[in-house]
């Protein structure tokens, strides 16, 4: 006789639900491999002291990383070619670069001619080489840039009364050469609404103009190519370019062993762009070739400095 | 789980248990699943965060590594350590694997810098470390400048914190689930109580209905009545004033919204009706209303059924009464010839009860031969559809009766209905007792025969009477002429005597044929009987035959021929004496029937009686069982004619019932089978009444 009972599927359903629940829970629990590390064993850490190497410093017109990328192959090459122990140091500013050089903590200084003249005058730096720019010239210029869509600024004359950002007070292409250009056009520093400096960083100048923070900016030639990947340079327009001046200089302290200087110069001047290995060293640094130099090669810059000495602040 | 427990649980308990089980199971399921998912997601996020942090640290350490600014490096890793409790450690290795800055307070774990040191390219290496105290995700990213790796950044994030978050989430969800279950139980109990209370009301009403109370009202009155909502004023609408049924349960509602709508579409049309929208409740309310309607409809139907049942009972009683009152034997058999109905006369005749007949066949209730014959006959009627009518003579012991039997097939419809040919569903039998008719019929035949014979005998007697008169005359002349004591005179005397006998015979024949003249006057029957008895009593006593008279003094005189009646009494007494021979008793009784329209005279004897073979012939002329010369066989025939002339009736019963034999039995005198002749004479000119005299 049929009995009035709850059908058997009730218990089956409960069982199926439990199985599903367990299956889901099992599926949800994912085990990872574990590496046992004994944290109870400790050791004291000692900071390694820098070796007594020759130091190679690139005037920080870019960030230390860019400086590294541009010159670490050069440093490695020089060390290898000369047998000297050379390491790159990264001053954080033009002033620090000059200060470190003065303190003897920079043995090989790669600077713009303006800074070179400063450290030569102050600390007896001796130029022993200078570079040939990617343009093929052993000179370079400064550029006045503005936003491409800024119709207020078409000529240098239009820069008068505008806000100006320069690279650094010790920048050659980024300040000194444009300052001379403005001087030659009768525009004085006081004629600008504002003059500010980007701490030596060329990229920062381009970006400040691009962002509209400043009406005009002054950079050295070649900067736009370097910043091409980070800033849309089609938005930047070059208003004017200064006359060309001797390009960057390699200098050493006055007291450095002359044989060491010669080794270094020989290694540097041996670099040739048609050599793929050498080109891999020169190209990142923005150098086509390195040629021997002497202090008098930079006299045009000294002349400029003298001409606008009133505008330069010490 | 025992299902019996569930079956025994109350409906409210089932709902509460079901809700709680569902909430708890799914809450547990959700808590576990969500906490696992969240834990997994948090772990993934933690990995992303760790990867992002270590890449960020590597980026920030880049310049500090280049500039060998280890103080800033230390500050940087400390800043990462300060980002939260989940950050267990952060440190920077140089390209040679030397630790430049770290966040450990009491020395650097020496084993740590050996693991997870070389992630592929720019990718972040992630390794789960077991420090013995906790599990830590170790993230490693190279500090690159260009293609040059100048160091490695490492950050350790506690996995325990993520798992603690997952557990806290699990507990939170489970706590919410518990609260939800509790709330569900409370709300479920509230709603279940609301539902079960109404279901219990339905159950109680169902029990009331089972107890016969159909005046239940389960559905609660809600809202306004339909005639109030519609303001229709249709007082002749069936729904008007009916508080027990919703208009949508009302057949024949006149509401314009419902009129001319098929019943199956009515509920659909209700959905747009304001009455339905205002008053329709939930499913249980609908069920309760339907229940009320069902009860009301049931009550109506039961009332109608009760009325119909009473009518049927009355009809059945009437039918049974008619059926049973009918003196004919009536029976109804079904198509299998099983008795379905028999009337009282049938049962009484066959001495059977209703239970012994109904549900049985002829083979069951009749002797085998008769049962088989009857069933074969009945089956033939069922097969042919031809009715049967016949007269049968039935003898059951001493009971002999004639029946007129009619058997007709019973159809389930009108035979004329050609669309649906009728089917034979039974057999109706009626058997009428025609014994009396038969007897009358035989008596009529007998009467006609007697009349014809009387005419014949009268004619013959008339022709013979004249020559007999001449013979008698000449014989008497010769006797006067012949000398006394002569032989011739004796011979002629014999001729004269025999001629006298012949004249008497002829006189009887003439009397039989009513050739004699009648003398009609007031006749005292008792007196005529006493005169005859006085005449023969002495002669009979010589043979010890005694006559007993039980004469009813209340018998009124009748109009008739006294002499002829005396001849009847004399014939009957003479026949009785001949039947007794010697040593016997005769009883003559007169009686006035109750309705005072007839007189009955009975003449009984204790003689040898009349055989059944002779019974039908005793009134025939010249029929006699006496020896040749002892009787003419005309006595009873003449008596039959005389009684017939008096519009009466004469019959005989043999053996005679003992109540007619008077005191003879007490005297110890021998009692034969005996015979009783019963003479009925009318007191009115109309003759004998049709009804029987029950006093005979």
């Amino acid at each position: 006789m049929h009995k009035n009972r709850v059908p058997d599927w009730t218990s089956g359903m409960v069982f199926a639900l439990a199985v599903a629940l367990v299956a889901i829970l099992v599926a949800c629990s994912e085990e990872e491999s574990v590496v046992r590390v004994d944290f109870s064993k400790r050791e004291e850490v000692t900071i390694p002291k820098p070796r007594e190497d020759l130091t190679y410093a690139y005037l920080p017109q870019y960030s230390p990383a860019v400086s590294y990328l541009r010159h670490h192959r050069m440093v490695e090459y020089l060390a290898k070619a000369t047998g000297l122990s050379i390491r790159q140091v990264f001053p954080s500013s033009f002033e620090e670069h000059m200060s470190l050089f003065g303190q003897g903590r920079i043995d090989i200084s790669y600077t713009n001619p303006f800074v070179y003249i400063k450290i030569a005058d102050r600390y007896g730096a001796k130029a022993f080489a200078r570079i040939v720019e990617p343009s093929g010239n052993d000179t370079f210029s400064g550029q006045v840039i503005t936003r491409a869509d800024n119709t207020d600024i078409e000529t240098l004359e239009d820069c008068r009364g505008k806000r100006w950002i320069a690279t650094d007070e010790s920048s050659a292409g980024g300040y000194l050469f444009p300052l001379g250009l403005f001087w030659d056009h009768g525009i004085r520093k006081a004629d600008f609404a504002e003059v500010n400096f980007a701490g030596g960083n060329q990229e920062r100048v381009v970006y400040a103009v691009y962002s509209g923070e400043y009406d005009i900016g002054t950079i050295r030639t070649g900067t736009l190519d370097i910043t091409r990947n980070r800033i849309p340079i089609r938005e930047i327009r070059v208003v004017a370019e200064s006359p060309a001046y001797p390009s960057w200089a390699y200098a050493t302290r006055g007291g450095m062993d002359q044989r060491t200087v010669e080794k270094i110069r020989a290694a540097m001047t041996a670099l040739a762009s048609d050599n793929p290995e050498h080109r891999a060293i020169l190209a990142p640094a923005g150098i086509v070739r390195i040629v021997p130099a002497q202090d008098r090669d930079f006299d045009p810059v000294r002349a400029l400095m003298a001409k606008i000495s009133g505008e330069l602040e010490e | 789980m025992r299902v019996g427990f569930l079956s025994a649980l109350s409906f409210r308990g089932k709902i509460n248990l079901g809700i709680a089980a569902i909430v708890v199971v799914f809450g547990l399921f959700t808590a576990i699943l969500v906490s696992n998912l969240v834990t997994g997601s948090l772990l993934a996020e933690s990995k992303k965060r760790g990867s992002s942090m270590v890449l960020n640290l590597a980026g920030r350490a880049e310049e500090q590594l280049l500039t060998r600014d280890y103080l800033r490096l230390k500050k940087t890793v400390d800043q990462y350590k300060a980002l939260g409790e989940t950050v267990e450690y952060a440190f920077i290795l140089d390209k040679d694997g030397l630790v430049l800055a770290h966040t450990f307070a009491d020395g650097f774990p020496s084993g740590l810098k050996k693991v997870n040191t070389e992630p592929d390219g720019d990718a972040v290496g992630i390794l789960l470390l077991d420090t013995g105290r906790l599990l830590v995700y170790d993230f490693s990213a190279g500090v690159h400048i260009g293609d040059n790796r100048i160091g490695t950044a490492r950050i350790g994030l506690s996995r325990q914190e993520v798992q603690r978050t997952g557990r806290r989430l699990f507990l939170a969800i489970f706590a919410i689930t518990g609260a939800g279950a509790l709330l569900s139980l409370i709300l479920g109990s509230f709603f279940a109580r609301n539902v079960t209370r109404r279901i219990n009301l339905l159950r109680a009403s169902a029990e009331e209905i089972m107890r016969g109370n159909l005046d239940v009202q389960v559905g609660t009155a809600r809202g306004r009545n339909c005639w109030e909502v519609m303001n229709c004023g249709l007082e002749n609408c069936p729904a008007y004033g009916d508080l027990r049924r919703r208009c949508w349960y009302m057949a024949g509602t006149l509401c314009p919204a419902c009129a001319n709508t098929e019943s199956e579409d009515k509920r659909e049309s209700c959905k747009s009706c304001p009455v339905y929208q205002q008053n329709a409740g939930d499913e249980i309310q609908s069920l309760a209303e339907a229940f009320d309607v069902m009860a009301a409809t049931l009550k109506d139907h039961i009332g109608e059924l009760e009325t119909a049942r009473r009518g049927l009972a009355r009809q059945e009683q009437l039918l049974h009464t008619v059926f049973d009152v009918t003196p004919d034997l009536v029976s109804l058999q079904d198509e299998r010839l099983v008795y379905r109905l028999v009337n009282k006369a049938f049962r009484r005749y066959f001495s059977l009860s209703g239970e012994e007949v109904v549900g049985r066949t002829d083979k069951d209730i009749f002797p085998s031969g008769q049962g088989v014959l009857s069933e074969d006959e009945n089956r033939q009627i069922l097969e042919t559809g031809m009715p049967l009518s016949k007269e049968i003579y039935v003898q059951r012991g001493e009971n002999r009766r004639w029946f007129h039997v009619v058997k007709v097939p019973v159809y389930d419809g009108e035979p004329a209905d050609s669309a649906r040919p009728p089917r034979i569903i039974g057999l109706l039998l009626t058997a009428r007792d025609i014994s009396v008719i038969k007897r009358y019929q035989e008596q009529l035949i007998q009467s006609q025969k007697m009349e014809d014979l009387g005419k014949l005998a009268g004619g013959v007697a008339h022709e013979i009477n004249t020559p007999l008169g001449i013979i008698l005359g000449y014989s008497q002349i010769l006797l006067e002429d012949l000398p006394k004591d002569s032989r011739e005179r004796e011979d002629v005397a014999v001729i004269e005597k025999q001629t006298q006998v012949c004249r008497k015979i002829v006189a009887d024949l003439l009397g039989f044929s009513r050739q004699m003249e009648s003398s009609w006057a007031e006749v005292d029957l008792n007196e005529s009987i006493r005169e005859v008895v006085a005449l023969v009593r002495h002669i009979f006593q010589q043979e010890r035959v005694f006559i007993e008279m039980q004469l009813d003094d209340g018998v009124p005189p009748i109009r008739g021929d006294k002499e002829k009646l005396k001849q009847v009494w004399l014939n009957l007494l003479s026949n009785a004496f001949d039947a007794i021979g010697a040593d016997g008793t005769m009883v003559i009784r007169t009686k006035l029937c109750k309705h005072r329209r007839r007189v009955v005279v009975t003449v009984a004897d204790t003689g040898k009686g009349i055989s059944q073979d002779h019974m039908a012939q005793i009134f025939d002329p010249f029929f006699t069982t006496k020896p040749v010369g002892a009787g003419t066989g005309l006595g009873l025939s003449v008596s039959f004619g005389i009684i017939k002339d008096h519009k009466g009736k004469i019959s005989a019963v043999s053996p005679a019932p003992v109540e007619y034999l008077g005191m003879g039995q007490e005297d110890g005198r021998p009692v034969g089978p005996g015979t009783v002749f019963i003479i009925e004479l009318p007191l009115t000119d109309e003759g004998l009444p049709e009804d029987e005299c029950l006093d005979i």
Side-chain angles (χ1 to χ4, degrees):
Chain A
M1 184 176 174
H2 174 71
K3 292 182 179 178
N4 187 17
R5 300 179 61 179
V6 175
D8 289 342
W9 57 263
T10 306
S11 53
M13 195 175 65
V14 171
F15 178 73
L17 192 64
V19 169
L21 191 62
V22 169
I24 289 169
L25 296 182
V26 168
C28 288
S29 56
E30 185 181 341
E31 287 301 324
E32 292 180 89
S33 60
V34 179
V35 175
R36 170 83 180 170
V37 176
D38 188 358
F39 268 43
S40 61
K41 294 181 180 176
R42 302 292 179 111
E43 64 182 20
E44 287 301 324
V45 172
T46 53
I47 304 298
K49 291 184 178 177
R51 290 167 298 176
E52 293 299 326
D53 302 323
L54 288 177
T55 56
Y56 177 106
Y58 170 36
L59 187 70
Q61 62 175 355
Y62 300 108
S63 66
V66 174
S67 298
Y68 176 85
L69 285 174
R70 291 179 72 120
H71 286 272
H72 76 96
R73 285 190 177 84
M74 177 69 79
V75 173
E76 289 165 3
Y77 164 75
L78 290 176
K80 186 177 177 183
T82 61
L84 298 170
S85 178
I86 304 172
R87 64 180 173 87
Q88 188 176 1
V89 295
F90 302 89
S92 60
S93 66
F94 284 23
E95 282 302 321
E96 188 182 22
H97 186 102
M98 290 185 284
S99 173
L100 289 174
F101 188 87
Q103 294 169 25
R105 292 168 65 184
I106 295 173
D107 297 313
I108 303 167
S109 173
Y110 176 57
T111 67
N112 67 45
F114 188 26
V115 172
Y116 165 71
I117 288 169
K118 284 184 177 180
I119 58 175
D121 294 346
R122 290 179 191 171
Y123 310 118
K126 299 289 186 185
F128 65 92
R130 55 189 177 97
I131 67 163
V132 175
E133 295 279 331
S135 60
N137 302 320
D138 58 355
T139 58
F140 72 107
S141 303
Q143 291 178 323
V144 179
I145 61 172
T146 185
R147 274 190 65 91
D149 56 358
N150 190 347
T151 54
D152 292 341
I153 301 172
E154 297 292 341
T155 63
L156 279 178
E157 198 61 34
D158 296 333
C159 295
R160 198 187 296 272
K162 300 294 189 295
R163 292 168 298 153
W164 174 23
I165 182 162
T167 307
D168 191 276
E169 286 178 295
S170 298
S171 175
Y175 180 58
L176 178 65
F177 302 163
L179 192 61
L181 182 64
F182 286 128
W183 177 276
D184 291 341
H185 285 78
I187 301 168
R188 301 292 178 262
K189 192 176 172 183
D191 294 330
F192 293 93
E194 178 186 349
V195 179
N196 213 334
F197 300 95
N201 195 315
Q202 302 275 354
E203 294 171 277
R204 205 173 293 163
V205 173
V206 178
Y207 194 83
V209 172
Y210 168 73
S211 67
E213 188 178 356
Y214 290 89
D215 300 318
I216 59 171
T218 50
I219 53 174
R220 60 154 290 165
T221 50
T223 296
L224 291 177
D225 289 334
I226 294 170
T227 60
R228 180 186 302 278
N229 294 331
R230 291 185 287 277
I231 299 167
I233 58 169
R234 66 178 180 278
E235 299 292 334
I236 303 297
R237 175 160 51 85
V238 178
V239 179
E241 191 169 306
S242 72
Y245 292 93
S247 64
W248 282 44
Y250 275 105
T252 60
R253 287 180 285 109
M256 182 176 281
D257 180 31
Q258 196 57 39
R259 286 175 298 180
T260 302
V261 175
E262 284 304 321
K263 276 185 184 177
I264 294 169
R265 178 161 51 195
M268 285 183 171
T269 56
L271 290 168
S273 292
D274 52 357
N275 184 329
E277 289 184 8
H278 292 174
R279 191 164 62 245
I281 297 167
L282 293 171
I287 299 171
V288 173
R289 194 170 70 253
I290 300 173
V291 296
Q294 297 177 8
D295 181 73
R296 62 176 175 272
D297 293 339
F298 299 96
D299 286 343
V301 180
R302 281 197 177 88
L304 176 61
M305 290 173 65
K307 184 172 67 177
I308 59 172
S309 60
E311 295 287 302
L312 296 175
E313 297 173 1
E314 288 296 329
Chain B
M1 180 186 289
R2 283 181 60 82
V3 293
F5 162 73
L6 278 179
S7 298
L9 208 58
S10 68
F11 182 63
R12 194 195 310 180
K14 284 192 183 87
I15 289 178
N16 287 338
L17 183 62
I19 290 173
I22 289 169
V23 172
V24 168
V25 167
F26 280 95
L28 189 64
F29 177 82
T30 305
I32 294 172
L33 187 64
V34 170
S35 63
N36 276 341
L37 288 174
V38 168
T39 301
S41 178
L42 285 177
L43 285 175
E45 284 301 317
S46 177
K47 288 179 182 177
K48 287 181 184 173
R49 176 171 172 250
S51 300
S52 174
M53 287 173 71
V54 78
L55 287 172
N56 188 273
L57 176 61
R60 289 184 63 183
E62 176 185 290
E63 185 177 327
Q64 293 151 17
L65 273 174
L66 286 176
T67 59
R68 294 177 178 262
D69 192 345
Y70 301 133
L71 181 59
R72 282 182 61 200
L73 207 54
K74 171 64 174 156
K75 288 179 181 176
T76 301
V77 295
D78 286 343
Q79 286 171 353
Y80 280 85
K81 177 69 174 70
L83 286 176
E85 294 180 355
T86 55
V87 181
E88 289 293 323
Y89 56 80
F91 61 94
I92 301 292
L93 303 172
D94 68 5
K95 62 182 179 184
D96 299 322
L98 295 174
V99 178
L100 301 178
H102 65 85
T103 59
F104 293 99
D106 47 356
F108 187 85
S110 54
L112 187 57
K113 60 184 176 185
K114 298 175 184 171
V115 297
N116 202 18
T117 52
E118 294 293 335
D120 297 331
D122 294 333
V124 175
I126 303 173
L127 197 61
L128 182 61
L129 305 181
D130 180 4
T131 68
R133 186 175 59 84
L134 42 73
L135 291 173
V136 174
Y137 276 117
D138 185 272
F139 299 90
S140 171
V143 182
H144 294 275
I145 298 178
D147 297 333
N148 299 288
R149 178 172 184 145
I150 61 172
T152 303
R154 298 271 295 275
I155 284 181
L157 297 183
S158 169
R159 176 173 157 153
Q160 253 79 350
E161 190 60 32
V162 172
Q163 288 180 317
R164 269 198 296 275
T165 305
R167 277 196 295 275
R168 280 198 295 272
L169 186 67
F170 173 83
L171 290 175
I173 293 175
F174 201 70
I176 291 169
T177 301
L182 188 63
L183 186 64
S184 301
L185 276 176
I186 294 170
L187 290 176
S189 182
F190 171 75
F191 288 117
R193 189 168 61 180
N194 180 275
V195 171
T196 53
R197 180 182 61 77
R198 294 157 75 190
I199 290 177
N200 283 334
L201 200 59
L202 278 173
R203 181 182 53 76
S205 300
E207 289 173 356
E208 280 294 306
I209 286 176
M210 282 191 287
R211 281 196 285 269
N213 177 18
L214 293 175
D215 293 321
V216 294
Q217 179 78 45
V218 187
T220 54
R222 293 160 58 88
R224 299 161 65 206
N225 297 306
C226 68
W227 57 91
E228 295 167 337
V229 174
M230 299 301 288
N231 195 23
C232 59
L234 296 172
E235 296 187 9
N236 58 339
C237 176
Y240 192 90
D242 193 319
L243 298 172
R244 294 196 60 188
R245 276 173 282 199
R246 296 295 179 201
C247 61
W248 47 88
Y249 291 117
M250 190 68 67
T253 175
L254 300 179
C255 187
C258 301
N260 301 323
T261 307
E262 295 296 331
S263 58
E264 58 265 25
D265 301 332
K266 201 160 272 183
R267 287 298 291 268
E268 193 61 33
S269 70
C270 283
K271 290 179 180 173
S272 58
C273 175
V275 180
Y276 184 85
Q277 288 172 351
Q278 289 186 25
N279 292 341
D282 62 4
E283 289 82 354
I284 294 181
Q285 174 69 14
S286 298
L287 181 63
E289 288 175 4
F291 194 83
D292 289 346
V293 172
M294 183 193 73
T297 309
L298 198 60
K299 186 180 179 183
D300 291 346
H301 287 174
I302 288 176
E304 290 169 2
L305 285 175
E306 182 61 25
T307 305
R309 191 192 64 78
R310 284 201 204 98
L312 283 175
R314 276 199 302 276
Q315 294 288 335
E316 188 179 0
Q317 183 63 36
L318 193 62
L319 186 64
H320 272 289
T321 302
V322 172
F323 208 58
D324 282 341
V325 165
T326 303
D328 298 344
L329 278 57
V330 181
S331 72
L332 179 66
Q333 291 165 275
D334 64 12
E335 56 203 353
R336 293 182 295 118
L337 296 175
V338 175
Y339 280 97
R340 291 298 170 203
L341 199 64
V342 288
N343 73 340
K344 197 172 180 178
F346 188 100
R347 298 194 300 269
R348 188 167 55 211
Y349 180 75
F350 289 108
S351 301
L352 293 168
S353 66
E355 290 76 17
E356 289 173 315
V357 180
V358 174
R360 298 169 188 270
T361 63
D362 284 336
K363 287 179 182 176
D364 298 330
I365 61 176
F366 294 129
S368 60
Q370 184 185 351
V372 170
L373 286 174
S374 176
E375 192 154 306
D376 289 345
E377 185 180 82
N378 294 342
R379 196 169 300 287
Q380 193 172 359
I381 294 170
L382 291 182
E383 290 172 357
T384 62
M386 298 296 293
L388 173 70
S389 176
K390 66 178 181 178
E391 292 180 354
I392 61 170
Y393 177 72
V394 181
Q395 180 167 359
R396 293 167 62 86
E398 294 299 322
N399 190 7
R400 305 175 187 85
R401 305 177 78 169
W402 277 95
F403 284 100
H404 178 216
V405 178
V406 176
K407 294 183 178 180
V408 292
V410 179
Y411 292 90
D412 65 345
E414 289 295 325
D417 188 359
S418 59
R420 181 174 166 271
R423 190 171 62 88
I424 295 175
I425 58 169
L427 181 72
L428 179 70
L429 172 140
T430 59
R432 173 162 293 181
D433 186 350
I434 57 168
S435 300
V436 174
I437 296 173
K438 273 288 182 185
R439 196 158 62 234
Y440 286 152
Q441 190 178 22
E442 287 171 3
Q443 287 178 359
L444 186 63
I445 293 169
Q446 184 67 16
S447 300
Q448 190 62 45
K449 191 166 65 177
M450 290 300 106
E451 188 175 342
D452 292 344
L453 278 172
K455 286 178 182 175
L456 179 61
V460 172
H462 184 73
E463 294 300 327
I464 293 174
N465 201 32
T466 303
L468 281 178
I470 295 170
I471 294 170
L472 185 59
Y474 278 101
S475 301
Q476 289 172 343
I477 293 170
L478 283 173
L479 282 174
E480 290 175 358
D481 294 342
L482 288 172
K484 292 183 180 179
D485 301 328
S486 63
R487 183 174 176 82
E488 288 80 11
R489 184 183 175 88
E490 289 179 358
D491 293 342
V492 172
V494 171
I495 292 171
E496 191 265 343
K497 184 181 178 183
Q498 293 305 316
T499 304
Q500 289 285 11
V501 172
C502 288
R503 277 187 60 106
K504 187 175 185 307
I505 292 171
V506 169
D508 287 345
L509 281 174
L510 285 172
F512 176 74
S513 62
R514 288 182 286 184
Q515 296 299 315
M516 293 173 64
E517 290 298 323
S518 297
S519 173
W520 290 83
E522 292 285 329
V523 178
D524 184 343
L525 281 179
N526 290 344
E527 184 186 343
S528 70
I529 291 169
R530 287 190 192 98
E531 286 176 4
V532 173
V533 168
L535 191 66
V536 298
R537 185 189 297 273
H538 182 69
I539 298 169
F540 289 176
Q541 282 177 350
Q542 290 176 351
E543 298 297 332
R544 297 172 301 284
V545 174
F546 301 97
I547 300 173
E548 182 180 332
M549 286 190 291
Q550 299 176 2
L551 302 180
D552 184 356
D553 293 335
V555 171
I558 67 165
R559 182 168 179 77
D561 187 329
K562 183 177 179 181
E563 292 304 320
K564 285 187 177 180
L565 289 174
K566 285 170 69 177
Q567 186 181 347
V568 172
W569 312 144
L570 184 62
N571 278 339
L572 293 177
L573 291 174
S574 178
N575 283 343
F577 183 73
D578 291 341
I580 294 170
D583 298 319
T585 305
M586 300 176 196
V587 176
I588 301 177
R589 186 183 294 169
T590 60
K591 189 168 185 63
L592 175 65
C593 280
K594 284 181 179 175
H595 47 60
R596 302 182 68 83
R597 287 191 296 180
R598 88 173 91 203
V599 178
V600 179
V601 180
T602 60
V603 179
D605 63 67
T606 58
K608 58 189 177 187
I610 305 169
S611 73
Q612 295 299 318
D613 296 336
H614 297 156
M615 186 62 80
Q617 297 173 283
I618 57 175
F619 295 107
D620 289 355
F622 308 112
F623 178 78
T624 179
T625 58
K626 296 175 184 174
V628 176
T632 60
L634 288 170
L636 283 177
S637 293
V638 171
S639 300
F640 184 90
I642 293 168
I643 295 301
K644 188 179 177 187
D645 286 342
H646 285 75
K647 297 182 181 177
K649 188 169 75 176
I650 181 168
S651 59
V653 177
S654 180
V658 292
E659 59 266 26
Y660 288 101
L661 297 179
M663 303 298 290
Q665 299 175 71
E666 295 176 359
D667 295 343
R669 290 188 291 269
V671 176
T675 304
V676 59
F677 281 87
I678 302 169
I679 299 98
E680 298 172 64
L681 292 168
L683 290 176
T684 62
D685 293 339
E686 286 80 22
L688 286 174
E690 289 183 356
D691 52 344
E692 299 286 335
C693 179
L694 299 177
D695 300 330
I696 298 175

